[in-house]
Amino acid sequence: MGNEAIAMGAIASGVNLVAGYPGTPSTEVLETVAKRAPKNVHVEWSINEKAAMEVAAGAAYSGARVLVTMKQVGLNVASDPLMSLSYIGVKGGMVVLVADDPGPISSQTEQDTRTFAMYSKLPVFDPSSVKEAYDMIGEAFKFSEKYQTPVIFRPTTRIDHGYETIDIKEEFEWEKHEIEGFLKDSSRWVIFPKLSFINHAKIEKRNSELTKVLSEYNGNFIEKATAKYENSKVGIITHGISYAYLKESFGEEHPKILKVSTPFPFPEELALKFADGLDKILAIEELDPVLERAMLMTAGRRGLNIKICGKLTGEIAPSGENTVASVNFAARKFLGEQTEERAALPDIKLPIRPPVLCAGCPHRASFYAVKVAMKGEKTLYAGDIGCYTLGNAMPLDMCDTCLCMGAGVTIAQGVWRAEKDRKCFAFIGDSTFFASGITGVINAYYNGADITVVILDNSTTAMTGHQPHPGTGKTARGDVAAKVSIESVLKGIGLKTVETVNPLDFNKSVETVRKVAAEDGVKAIIFKSPCVAIHKSKEKSKVNPEKCIACKKCIRELGCPALIMRDGKAYIEESLCVGCALCEQICPAGAISGGRTNEA
Amino acid sequence: MKRSILLAGVGGQGTILASKLISAAAVKKSIPVKTAETIGMAQRGGSVFSHVRLGDNASPMIPPKGADLIIGFEPAEAARHLMFLKDEGTVVTATAPVYPVSALTGGAPYNVESVIEYLKANVKRLILVDTEKLLAEIGNSKVLNTLLLGEAIRSGALGLTAEDIMVAMKELIPEKLLDINKKALVG
């Protein structure tokens, strides 16, 4: 896997510390380091990306080689330290891995980290294959150390989750990097306006020089037009997985290509060589038109008479992923070749398959308890980022808003401020609570809001594949760690009512919600039950067809994937059921039995 | 050898493991492999698919009409990716449907018979596998992936043998489950 290759490349480069926060498609990088790195490499799941960035920066100040991992929206959380760090710089090599998600396949935004790199004035590496990612991560460390600056490394989903046969270094070939230690120097490490002024000028000068240096970098290269295209005055500039799609489409015979691995600083000298003799250039890229704009600037500055097209001119789609087909279509049309229309989608109506909460997921029980308890009331259900965002689907329909990590707690306060007769609930998972929910609860308590905070505590970071967090008592390496109690945190803030209940005990849950929601001020319910993907149960619920009255209440109300109708009666798919027994507790005919007993 | 294989199913069916078995078997035979998986949100009951490319290829993703074989873990999921199948390509698919929750709670209904008819009308080489019956005979619903791999091997379109896959199984499947998976693979 690309992420594993990146991790192995970092280990081979003598990385001393790796910190990150889970987020698709970046997660497996840190997981692989945790599994494969020598014991003296510190690996941690930090509580959020800002914490990870700062821990890593401190180590890099001390001369350690460090890697920070996150997804693109995680960089927003870590942008405060990163923007300043750009001015301060580092001593040990510091690579900030940010995985972008064109599509988006599993993200809130389609932001482009190449643009962020330009904004933060940091060099960025953009690999186009698993093999290249493996080699490039080592080059990124060297580059960072040479220029004493953090560098960004940004693969996209197709690199992170792509597989490829590659050769990697043996353990005896791995570099060993000795940490020099922190040298006190307040003129270097303390950011003051004057230092920022001086360093800003240095950074601009460095980046201007890097446009020449990077023109020589072997990740940026020109492929000459082959015989068929020898007389063509059309060239294509591209990057990342789109380069692979272009090569796949054209095979042996292709036009002139400029492949860019460092979109910022843009290798301007190389781009000039590329543009020489061309009339038209097509920029094929995903997310923002970064190469297109850089090429436009280069042409403008150097007075080239050349037409530059891409996303800004409509040849390439402004959003979503590129595909082999879309790249082939756009490139051949631009070259004036006959192209087949894109392959048609099947002309038959196929079922849509949105992701759903797993059968037996405790979140379903938590949402359903609140729904039943608040029936007929004017409510707001603010959701957050995690599996439980899937509570928005019918028939639960229990997620009215979702914005970004931790926002549910604060959005609920804002809605309540605007409309005080609305009962506002904020649903937040345990990992998200630690990442950025706590500050929101303090804000509500201090400012006297009236909301119910519902913690969905399944003792893991489920959505990204079950990483530990401060509430689990486990480290990234699987060792025992100090455990933080959510209940104590909430009580420590000052909340008087913090009720913990097992959501799979339906009646007790409904009763608890009614009681807690009726109180004034900030109060919390902790629904505590482990994720079913980790804690499997042997017990299974079964429908007694003799007793089933075919009212379909279980199917209609719960939306559990294990519940279907068969031969006119409710039926439970045995391979999916984990015996959560929620359906047993709501069946009006008492027709379902066999699951776990959940009384506390 | 150059082969492009697309595997499509529903989260939880073992699609990704099947894709890893093919890749690992090819690596053992020194065949270059590139694959791309679409996971993430898709793992919770959503559509899951994997592109596997054996031999020298620039891209891990299969171009339209580029797949020699589609392995469908579910008939509608096989149909969803037909635009990737070569005109002479093979489809090996399970016949048992997985009903999405939305089809049961008031969303668009799912008519599996019409999907099978559509596959029959549009695929020259279609191998329908009565997975419900075969899995009941084996007595374990979790071996769907090795069962379908076995059918794909016998179709000749996979380009690998049962022995090749078994070498990979030893690495990727827990020992106590090896026998039942071998049984599913060989039939």
Side-chain angles (χ1 to χ4, degrees):
Chain A
M1 185 190 269
N3 280 342
E4 292 170 319
I6 292 166
M8 295 315 290
I11 293 171
S13 302
V15 72
N16 302 108
L17 178 143
V18 184
Y21 188 77
T24 311
S26 73
T27 313
E28 297 84 1
V29 175
L30 194 140
E31 287 185 319
T32 304
V33 176
K35 266 184 238 149
R36 307 287 291 273
K39 285 289 165 209
N40 60 355
V41 175
H42 175 73
V43 190
E44 70 169 52
W45 284 124
S46 305
I47 67 156
N48 60 33
E49 294 85 354
K50 174 172 151 66
M53 187 76 76
E54 291 156 351
V55 167
Y61 287 179
S62 309
R65 284 193 184 142
V66 300
L67 174 70
V68 195
T69 73
M70 66 195 69
K71 68 183 296 180
Q72 90 282 37
V73 286
L75 184 58
N76 302 337
V77 177
S79 64
D80 195 4
L82 188 67
M83 292 301 289
S84 299
L85 198 58
S86 166
Y87 284 66
I88 288 291
V90 291
K91 188 163 77 180
M94 176 167 183
V95 178
V96 179
L97 178 137
V98 185
D100 279 355
D101 180 17
I105 299 171
S106 51
S107 301
Q108 303 94 297
T109 69
E110 272 203 304
Q111 65 193 69
D112 191 325
T113 300
R114 296 176 303 161
T115 301
F116 206 112
M118 215 179 303
Y119 175 54
S120 59
K121 308 181 190 301
L122 294 170
V124 57
F125 290 80
D126 180 13
S128 65
S129 71
V130 174
K131 165 89 175 78
E132 203 175 57
Y134 178 76
D135 296 335
M136 206 177 269
I137 191 92
E139 289 155 10
F141 272 105
K142 287 201 183 80
F143 198 84
S144 168
E145 228 154 77
K146 182 169 180 194
Y147 292 95
Q148 305 260 291
T149 177
V151 302
I152 298 177
F153 188 85
R154 66 78 86 163
T156 59
T157 305
R158 296 296 169 206
I159 311 298
D160 293 302
H161 290 167
Y163 288 73
E164 196 178 316
T165 324
I166 64 167
D167 288 320
I168 59 171
K169 285 181 179 155
E170 298 288 336
E171 201 168 334
F172 71 86
E173 296 172 282
W174 294 354
E175 272 185 62
K176 285 189 183 58
H177 179 69
E178 294 298 328
I179 302 172
E180 187 189 10
F182 183 78
L183 303 176
K184 289 195 183 195
D185 181 358
S186 63
S187 68
R188 181 169 182 190
W189 303 120
V190 181
I191 194 161
F192 270 115
K194 193 175 171 213
L195 181 66
S196 301
F197 169 77
I198 294 166
N199 285 359
H200 185 186
K202 285 187 190 163
I203 291 165
E204 298 297 351
K205 187 162 175 274
R206 176 199 71 201
N207 284 349
S208 165
E209 284 165 15
L210 283 179
T211 61
K212 293 188 193 78
V213 173
L214 289 168
S215 289
E216 307 290 319
Y217 172 53
N218 62 12
N220 299 319
F221 53 82
I222 296 168
E223 286 183 23
K224 278 194 225 153
T226 53
K228 185 179 163 192
Y229 293 96
E230 221 167 29
N231 299 317
S232 167
K233 291 184 174 297
V234 176
I236 294 174
I237 176 168
T238 189
H239 74 124
I241 195 70
S242 299
Y243 169 73
Y245 295 162
L246 187 71
K247 297 293 283 183
E248 175 75 34
S249 300
F250 282 82
E252 299 290 309
E253 287 285 355
H254 59 77
K256 194 174 186 186
I257 299 170
L258 174 62
K259 196 273 201 186
V260 178
S261 297
T262 59
F264 184 82
F266 186 66
E268 202 167 298
E269 305 300 321
L270 187 69
L272 278 174
K273 265 188 220 158
F274 166 69
D276 188 34
L278 296 180
D279 286 343
K280 274 167 68 180
I281 293 174
L282 178 66
I284 302 180
E285 48 195 326
E286 283 177 328
L287 304 174
D288 290 345
V290 172
L291 302 178
E292 187 180 355
R293 285 190 179 125
M295 204 62 232
L296 277 167
M297 272 197 278
T298 304
R301 189 160 38 226
R302 308 286 181 127
L304 305 181
N305 183 14
I306 197 165
K307 195 174 172 198
I308 294 157
C309 300
K311 286 180 176 251
L312 298 172
T313 48
E315 273 81 2
I316 304 294
S319 63
E321 270 196 289
N322 286 341
T323 61
V324 180
S326 76
V327 167
N328 184 49
F329 182 78
R332 292 198 188 275
K333 196 170 162 210
F334 196 75
L335 284 156
E337 294 177 19
Q338 287 285 332
T339 51
E340 263 184 65
E341 276 303 313
R342 297 196 194 166
L345 291 166
D347 49 351
I348 178 178
K349 234 181 143 101
L350 294 171
I352 41 161
R353 237 180 253 285
V356 289
L357 292 171
C358 301
C361 175
H363 297 335
R364 177 179 291 103
S366 306
F367 283 128
Y368 189 63
V370 176
K371 189 175 186 175
V372 169
M374 290 292 113
K375 201 172 179 186
E377 301 259 9
K378 187 177 171 185
T379 55
L380 170 91
Y381 300 125
D384 222 301
I385 307 289
C387 286
Y388 50 98
T389 318
L390 303 176
N392 77 322
M394 297 304 275
L396 284 174
D397 190 19
M398 284 295 286
C399 181
D400 297 326
T401 68
C402 178
L403 187 67
C404 64
M405 288 286 287
V409 180
T410 18
I411 295 271
Q413 295 164 45
V415 171
W416 177 76
R417 294 280 167 205
E419 219 180 337
K420 294 215 167 121
D421 60 337
R422 200 180 272 279
K423 294 228 175 260
C424 293
F425 288 77
F427 291 90
I428 184 165
D430 41 349
S431 185
T432 308
F433 176 76
F434 287 115
S436 54
I438 297 173
T439 45
V441 179
I442 298 174
N443 190 68
Y445 183 74
Y446 165 61
N447 287 304
D450 187 347
I451 60 163
T452 305
V453 178
V454 181
I455 314 275
L456 302 169
D457 182 0
N458 60 0
S459 300
T460 188
T461 316
M463 193 60 164
T464 45
H466 305 107
Q467 292 74 32
H469 62 66
T472 60
K474 284 266 167 63
T475 67
R477 293 254 200 190
D479 300 328
V480 176
K483 200 168 173 171
V484 181
S485 149
I486 296 175
E487 192 176 338
S488 304
V489 169
L490 291 168
K491 287 193 167 156
I493 289 169
L495 270 62
K496 287 190 184 58
T497 303
V498 181
E499 294 278 349
T500 301
V501 62
N502 176 0
L504 302 180
D505 184 347
F506 176 64
N507 289 331
K508 192 162 176 219
S509 296
V510 173
E511 188 191 312
T512 306
V513 175
R514 285 202 182 114
K515 194 182 88 191
V516 173
E519 293 181 20
D520 291 330
V522 187
K523 53 272 175 188
I525 301 165
I526 303 172
F527 280 117
K528 200 169 171 54
S529 183
C531 175
V532 290
I534 305 182
H535 296 269
K536 305 228 189 262
S537 140
K538 286 221 163 65
E539 281 132 311
K540 311 233 175 248
S541 299
K542 240 189 148 90
V543 180
N544 179 345
E546 308 279 297
K547 282 194 184 171
C548 175
I549 54 171
C551 67
K552 298 190 187 171
K553 184 182 177 187
C554 51
I555 294 173
R556 219 179 42 233
E557 302 255 304
L558 300 179
C560 173
L563 278 162
I564 57 173
M565 288 298 283
R566 189 178 262 197
D567 306 326
K569 302 280 182 180
Y571 176 80
I572 293 172
E573 185 65 57
E574 199 191 318
S575 63
L576 293 175
C577 180
V578 296
C580 79
L582 181 62
C583 56
E584 296 180 20
Q585 297 169 77
I586 70 156
C587 174
I592 317 177
S593 61
R596 282 173 272 166
T597 46
N598 294 304
E599 283 87 20
Chain B
M1 185 186 81
K2 227 172 149 168
R3 291 285 159 104
S4 293
I5 304 134
L6 194 151
L7 300 97
V10 177
Q13 284 191 307
T15 316
I16 299 297
L17 178 59
S19 146
K20 287 195 196 318
L21 285 170
I22 298 172
S23 308
V27 169
K28 290 273 171 206
K29 298 187 76 177
S30 301
I31 300 167
V33 182
K34 280 198 170 91
T35 82
E37 295 171 354
T38 299
I39 43 176
M41 291 285 276
Q43 60 192 309
R44 320 229 180 269
S47 297
V48 169
F49 60 91
S50 180
H51 289 209
V52 180
R53 310 200 70 193
L54 311 182
D56 280 320
N57 293 287
S59 156
M61 301 291 279
I62 301 170
K65 295 194 173 189
D68 300 281
L69 169 68
I70 291 178
I71 304 179
F73 285 61
E74 204 283 329
E77 295 312 311
R80 205 184 293 283
H81 297 276
L82 274 195
M83 70 272 203
F84 287 102
L85 191 69
K86 284 182 182 170
D87 289 337
E88 305 301 319
T90 304
V91 173
V92 173
T93 184
T95 52
V98 176
Y99 291 100
V101 170
S102 59
L104 301 163
T105 53
Y110 172 15
N111 182 342
V112 64
E113 286 78 18
S114 71
V115 173
I116 303 263
E117 285 312 311
Y118 175 81
L119 286 171
K120 282 182 183 164
N122 288 283
V123 180
K124 286 198 185 129
R125 244 189 119 218
L126 176 68
I127 298 167
L128 294 169
V129 188
D130 187 347
T131 40
E132 200 169 41
K133 180 173 152 252
L134 292 168
L135 289 173
E137 282 170 20
I138 298 168
N140 186 333
S141 61
K142 303 277 180 199
V143 296
L144 174 64
N145 47 17
T146 35
L147 180 79
L148 288 170
L149 276 183
E151 293 294 341
I153 289 164
R154 287 187 285 281
S155 79
L158 188 63
L160 294 167
T161 65
E163 287 70 32
D164 297 335
I165 295 291
M166 271 194 251
V167 175
M169 277 165 56
K170 276 185 198 137
E171 279 182 13
L172 294 168
I173 292 177
E175 205 181 329
K176 59 176 181 179
L177 297 174
L178 266 181
D179 277 345
I180 194 150
N181 275 290
K182 270 184 200 163
K183 197 171 144 193
L185 185 78
V186 185

